[in-house]
Amino acid sequence: MNKLIVGFLLAMAPLFGMASGGAHLDDADIDLGDQASLQRGAKYFVNYCLSCHSAKFQRYNRTAKDLGLTEDEVKENLMFTTDKIGETMTVAMDSQDASNWFGVIPPDLSVIARARGVDWIYTYLRSFYIDETRPFGVNNVVFPDVGMPHVFWKLQGTQKAVFEEHDGQKVFEKFEQVTPGTLSPAEFDAAMRDLTAFLSYVGEPIQMERKRLGIWVLLFIAVFFVLAYLLKKEYWKDVH
Ligand code: HEC
């Protein structure tokens, strides 16, 4: 049995290594029960991401319902690429244009939080740094040579990355702020936490419901266990 567990852990190890590209990931610490956070995240998503990335499995009316917004609020604040509330979050950009401009087509972000993990997303969004050798003048610590520009440069400001040599390998050490953003570092982190929470929600819209339901299921099992135990005692009491 122990061998099985060790074997399983060993088999999974490369997965964890691969997901982070070896870089340290910060704890996203999102709260999916916090609707205000999800609403702010949705706003960042439609304003800063939806111009390039779609979330084509996510419908606006579903978003309204899950985030506690009215359909009118969603229409007014979140819908820029369509005016039909039953529509999915598609992107207006032509995919040929996209690959001309960025070299790659920005991927759909419907399930990105599940593919990469929320810690990776949270770290990625905060890890763009100045690199003049790149087409957009930025690079990313967790996604080297990324084809995406730093869309939050106004909010976060710009930063440079300090690397150290360890055994001939460049290892990321820390960031140094170059120009300030309109948000303080703490405010920017909070904003990225909201956005990460929204992407996590989009990755599995049912997850809040699933967790709520899970508690009832566990309670049911607990009660059922007591009944089953009493029944067993009743059946076996004459056997000895
Ligand atoms: C100007 C267009 C553009 C905007 C705006 C943009 N991105 Fe991107 N994004 C890209 C491109 C292009 C890539 C592909 C990078 C690559 O493969 O090198 C990418 C890649 C990504 C990835 C990594 C995908 C992977 O392969 O794992 C994530 C996550 C991501 N973007 C999230 C976001 C979020 C969140 C926003 C909004 C804050 C955003 N992007 C805004 C163009 C954009």
Side-chain angles (χ1 to χ4, degrees):
M1 185 66 187
N2 272 350
K3 251 193 202 158
L4 256 180
I5 294 174
V6 171
F8 176 76
L9 287 179
L10 280 179
M12 298 305 281
L15 273 184
F16 296 119
M18 198 173 68
S20 69
H24 168 80
L25 298 182
D26 297 329
D27 186 5
D29 194 25
I30 55 171
D31 179 4
L32 291 171
D34 182 351
Q35 280 199 329
S37 161
L38 289 175
Q39 290 171 6
R40 288 191 299 268
K43 203 152 187 176
Y44 282 118
F45 181 75
V46 296
N47 281 296
Y48 287 92
C49 320
L50 201 54
S51 46
C52 292
H53 296 278
S54 56
K56 64 181 179 210
F57 297 113
Q58 185 67 22
R59 281 183 200 284
Y60 287 101
N61 49 2
R62 170 79 202 240
T63 313
K65 198 171 125 239
D66 290 341
L67 269 53
L69 296 166
T70 65
E71 296 200 345
D72 285 336
E73 281 170 332
V74 166
K75 274 190 182 160
E76 216 154 278
N77 298 302
L78 301 181
M79 288 171 58
F80 306 123
T81 56
T82 173
D83 50 13
K84 293 196 212 76
I85 190 79
E87 196 64 46
T88 57
M89 293 185 152
T90 48
V91 55
M93 190 170 52
D94 183 69
S95 56
Q96 187 55 47
D97 285 344
S99 64
N100 289 344
W101 292 332
F102 307 112
V104 278
I105 299 170
D108 182 83
L109 294 183
S110 301
V111 292
I112 192 73
R114 285 164 71 185
R116 291 287 200 175
V118 287
D119 291 349
W120 188 91
I121 303 278
Y122 176 65
T123 311
Y124 169 73
L125 291 170
R126 292 153 51 256
S127 297
F128 286 89
Y129 66 92
I130 299 171
D131 180 352
E132 300 303 342
T133 66
R134 300 295 306 156
F136 292 107
V138 285
N139 210 327
N140 193 291
V141 171
V142 293
F143 193 146
D145 296 345
V146 69
M148 173 170 145
H150 182 203
V151 293
F152 286 120
W153 67 275
K154 269 194 190 147
L155 302 192
Q156 188 187 21
T158 55
Q159 55 188 4
K160 62 179 192 202
V162 180
F163 292 95
E164 280 193 359
E165 287 266 321
H166 282 293
D167 304 325
Q169 278 206 348
K170 248 172 68 167
V171 178
F172 169 69
E173 197 61 31
K174 61 172 192 270
F175 289 119
E176 276 171 10
Q177 192 91 21
V178 176
T179 54
T182 52
L183 298 183
S184 73
E187 285 167 341
F188 183 68
D189 284 355
M192 293 307 101
R193 179 163 297 131
D194 295 338
L195 177 53
T196 306
F198 178 72
L199 286 174
S200 168
Y201 151 73
V202 167
E204 194 192 349
I206 197 75
Q207 64 182 304
M208 289 98 94
E209 180 64 22
R210 171 164 64 71
K211 284 172 190 164
R212 263 195 299 274
L213 210 66
I215 294 174
W216 287 107
V217 171
L218 288 178
L219 274 176
F220 170 76
I221 291 176
V223 170
F224 186 74
F225 172 78
V226 174
L227 288 178
Y229 180 71
L230 292 177
L231 198 65
K232 177 229 167 224
K233 267 182 87 169
E234 182 62 28
Y235 278 173
W236 283 80
K237 70 171 192 262
D238 304 325
V239 175
H240 299 298

